[in-house]
């Protein structure tokens, strides 16, 4: 085996042992240091952080419009175009509009609902949202809670527009994935010899 492969194998093995040990301790210690629970490459979070963010989204002590702006900011971060939050007094059930491309053709309408745990979004709410879309062919309904099974089934068969449903867990994952309101605390970099550079066979 080439020297570079031996070195890489040794590093990978030691790193795996470190991670396994950290995860074992994290399960046993409620207040384990944050940088261990957030150790991952690229700044991804572990389960405890996901649960904590879900709780924060459900209990935001800010103006209700903050959540509406949050979901618009998230879709912009995800690369869907430029967006804006609609006026509260005249939104017609639409909380945000994402304009695709520089000219804003084929926009996406957004509705954001911050519900308490156990209060699911049902079929009537989705029907109201679909009606508010008018001629718009794409809509995103985002909630901090979850969707009733009947609502999910109805949305999947709605013939006049594509309706995307994002529940609290998925919303939290997307917020973390696209670095909205989170920061990378520490990144671990593992280096290995470049066998191609040194001409290893």
């Amino acid at each position: 085996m080439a020297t570079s492969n031996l070195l890489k194998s040794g590093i990978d093995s030691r790193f795996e042992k470190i991670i396994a040990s950290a995860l074992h301790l994290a399960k046993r210690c409620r207040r384990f240091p944050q940088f261990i629970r957030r150790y991952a490459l690229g700044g991804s979070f572990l389960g405890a952080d996901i649960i904590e963010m879900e709780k924060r989204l459900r209990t935001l002590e800010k103006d209700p419009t903050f959540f509406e702006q949050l979901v618009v900011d998230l879709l912009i971060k995800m690369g869907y175009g430029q967006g804006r939050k609609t006026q509260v007094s005249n939104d017609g059930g639409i909380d945000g509009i994402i304009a695709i491309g520089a000219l804003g053709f084929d926009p996406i309408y957004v509705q954001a609902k911050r519900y308490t745990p156990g209060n699911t979004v049902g079929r009537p709410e989705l029907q109201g949202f679909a009606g508010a879309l008018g001629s718009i062919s794409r809509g995103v309904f985002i909630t901090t809670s979850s969707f009733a099974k009947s609502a999910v089934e109805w949305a999947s068969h709605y013939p006049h527009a594509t309706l995307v449903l994002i529940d609290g867990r998925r919303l939290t994952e997307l917020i973390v994935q696209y670095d909205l309101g989170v920061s990378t605390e520490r990144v671990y970099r593992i280096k290995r010899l470049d066998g191609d550079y040194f001409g290893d066979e």
Side-chain angles (χ1 to χ4, degrees):
M1 182 182 293
T3 302
S4 60
N5 291 333
L6 284 171
L7 180 60
K8 179 179 183 296
S9 176
I11 291 176
D12 288 346
S13 177
R14 289 196 299 273
F15 185 65
E16 288 175 359
K17 289 179 180 179
I18 292 171
I19 296 305
S21 177
L23 291 175
H24 177 70
L25 287 173
K27 290 178 180 178
R28 298 180 60 184
C29 303
R30 290 184 179 181
R31 300 185 63 83
F32 202 69
Q34 293 290 314
F35 75 88
I36 292 294
R37 292 197 294 114
R38 292 193 181 108
Y39 78 90
L41 299 174
S44 62
F45 283 31
L46 297 182
D49 295 287
I50 293 290
I51 294 172
E52 177 62 25
M53 182 170 288
E54 274 193 280
K55 290 179 179 178
R56 292 195 180 193
L57 287 174
R58 289 174 175 172
T59 59
L60 283 172
E61 297 180 355
K62 293 181 178 289
D63 186 281
T65 59
F66 173 81
F67 181 63
E68 297 171 3
Q69 185 62 55
L70 180 148
V71 299
V72 170
D73 291 343
L74 174 61
L75 291 174
I76 293 173
K77 277 263 192 179
M78 293 173 68
Y80 283 101
Q82 296 301 309
R84 62 179 177 85
K85 185 172 66 65
T86 59
Q87 295 296 321
V88 178
S89 59
N90 189 34
D91 62 16
I94 303 301
D95 298 316
I97 298 175
I98 304 297
I100 304 299
L103 299 179
F105 291 123
D106 196 16
I108 300 173
Y109 278 9
V110 182
Q111 188 165 87
K113 293 297 182 185
R114 188 182 59 178
Y115 283 0
T116 56
N119 187 11
T120 60
V121 176
R123 177 173 170 173
E125 289 91 334
L126 294 186
Q127 289 175 323
F129 176 53
L133 290 179
S135 61
I136 301 303
S137 62
R138 291 185 288 182
V140 180
F141 196 113
I142 300 177
T143 180
T144 55
S145 184
S146 59
F147 295 93
K149 183 178 180 180
S150 60
V152 175
E153 292 178 350
W154 183 85
S156 65
H157 294 94
Y158 184 64
H160 305 298
T162 300
L163 302 179
V164 175
L165 310 182
I166 300 177
D167 62 14
R169 172 53 65 96
R170 182 58 178 154
L171 171 62
T172 305
E173 293 172 349
L174 290 172
I175 287 174
V176 172
Q177 180 180 347
Y178 288 93
D179 294 324
L180 180 62
V182 300
S183 59
T184 301
E185 187 169 298
R186 185 169 301 189
V187 175
Y188 290 82
R189 301 178 64 188
I190 300 178
K191 296 187 177 182
R192 64 177 178 82
L193 289 179
D194 186 343
D196 292 336
Y197 178 82
F198 286 100
D200 291 348
E201 295 296 333

